[in-house]
């Protein structure tokens, strides 16, 4: 009875240690290496483009808010 329960517990642990753990370790340290290397040229370019678009969008929002403040001063209280 006890041997059956131990077998049920030991079998998944052994399978995990043989198959899953090594793959998990390799993938973990591979991703750590990529993070340590920093951004690639493409990623940096995409990040720069997104930052520029965010700045333009912030300016447009400020302009729209200024127009709304001038034309409908109570617009902020409606929300």
């Amino acid at each position: 009875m006890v041997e059956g329960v131990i077998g049920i517990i030991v079998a998944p642990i052994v399978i995990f240690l043989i198959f899953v753990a090594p793959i998990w370790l390799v993938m973990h340290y591979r991703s750590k290496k990529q993070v340590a290397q920093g951004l690639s040229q493409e990623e940096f370019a995409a990040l720069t483009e997104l930052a520029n678009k965010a700045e333009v969008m912030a300016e447009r929002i400020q302009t729209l808010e200024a127009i709304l403040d001038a034309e409908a001063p109570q617009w902020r209280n409606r929300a």
Side-chain angles (χ1 to χ4, degrees):
M1 179 81 170
V2 173
E3 293 173 3
V5 173
I6 292 174
I8 291 173
I9 294 172
V10 171
I13 292 173
V14 169
I15 291 171
F16 176 82
L17 291 174
I18 291 174
F19 296 107
V20 177
I23 294 170
W24 186 2
L25 286 171
V26 168
M27 297 301 283
H28 171 75
Y29 286 109
R30 185 177 292 172
S31 69
K32 288 283 189 184
K33 180 181 175 185
Q34 288 176 349
V35 169
Q37 289 177 349
L39 297 176
S40 69
Q41 293 285 29
E42 291 176 1
E43 292 169 333
F44 184 75
L47 182 61
T48 304
E49 181 182 348
L50 287 173
N52 292 337
K53 286 182 179 181
E55 288 178 16
V56 170
M57 188 180 301
E59 291 173 6
R60 292 177 76 182
I61 290 171
Q62 287 176 348
T63 303
L64 288 171
E65 287 179 347
I67 293 170
L68 283 171
D69 285 338
E71 292 185 7
Q74 299 298 323
W75 73 271
R76 293 182 194 264
N77 296 334
R78 293 183 190 170

